């Protein structure tokens, strides 16, 4: 069984996220998503609209996703790869090069980021449409 892993906040789930998960799963047989906790998001300077449990619930409903576990630190990736016997680490190419240190432990694959959609864009559009 070829095992894939990816990381993220996945807030306000949109088709860019789904396309990433879909393409990641196509690389193997089992996809683990390591989901940023609300506390870890603070370290990423992110404030998710949906909390961890809500984001986890959404991800677990996606057919491409087999397992969701928490991301609590920047430093857990090597242990995650070893513990979960991962073959391929996948991230969008906005992270290109950032995780090459993982190549001794598994293949590292950066997939093209989907253009013209992001959680930030959604928030900005909604903010603009709602009267203050
Ligand atoms: N993504 C994408 N296309 C978009 C938006 C996001 O392919 N239009 C990808 C990102 O590249 C990432 C994944 O979807 O691989 C999740 O995106 P975020 O939730 O923004 O993840 P991020 O905050 O970058 O967290 O330790 C790694 C971090 O947890 C990554």
């Amino acid at each position: 069984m070829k095992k894939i892993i990816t990381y993220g906040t996945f807030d306000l789930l949109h088709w860019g996220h789904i396309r990433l998960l879909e393409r990641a799963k196509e690389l193997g047989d089992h996809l683990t998503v390591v989901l940023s906790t609300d506390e870890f998001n603070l370290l990423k300077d992110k404030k998710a609209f949906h909390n961890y449990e809500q984001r986890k619930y959404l991800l677990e409903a996606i057919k491409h996703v087999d397992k969701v576990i928490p991301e609590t630190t920047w430093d857990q990736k090597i242990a995650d790869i070893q513990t979960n016997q991962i073959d391929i680490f996948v991230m969008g190419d906005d992270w290109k090069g950032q995780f090459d240190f993982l190549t001794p432990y598994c293949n590292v694959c950066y997939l093209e980021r989907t253009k013209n959609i992001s959680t930030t864009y959604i928030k900005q559009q909604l903010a603009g449409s709602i009267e203050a």
Side-chain angles (χ1 to χ4, degrees), residues 76-100:
Q76 69 185 76
K77 293 182 173 68
I78 293 173
D80 289 344
I81 286 163
Q82 293 174 324
T83 305
N84 292 281
Q85 298 172 305
I86 299 300
D87 299 288
I88 308 174
F89 170 95
V90 173
M91 286 301 291
D93 62 5
D94 46 319
W95 289 93
K96 193 165 182 59
Q98 300 298 307
F99 300 113
D100 292 354

Side-chain angles (χ1 to χ4, degrees), residues 4-49:
I4 317 295
I5 201 167
T6 193
Y7 291 69
T9 297
F10 294 97
D11 191 29
L12 298 183
L13 205 59
H14 56 67
W15 70 86
H17 294 137
I18 302 299
R19 282 195 71 242
L20 187 286
L21 296 170
E22 181 177 44
R23 288 174 293 155
K25 182 60 177 288
E26 283 170 355
L27 296 172
D29 310 291
H30 184 280
L31 174 61
T32 296
V33 178
V34 191
L35 182 62
S36 306
T37 60
D38 299 323
E39 296 76 15
F40 183 58
N41 275 330
L42 295 176
L43 299 182
K44 297 198 300 187
D45 291 328
K46 282 196 170 187
K47 171 93 176 69
F49 181 82

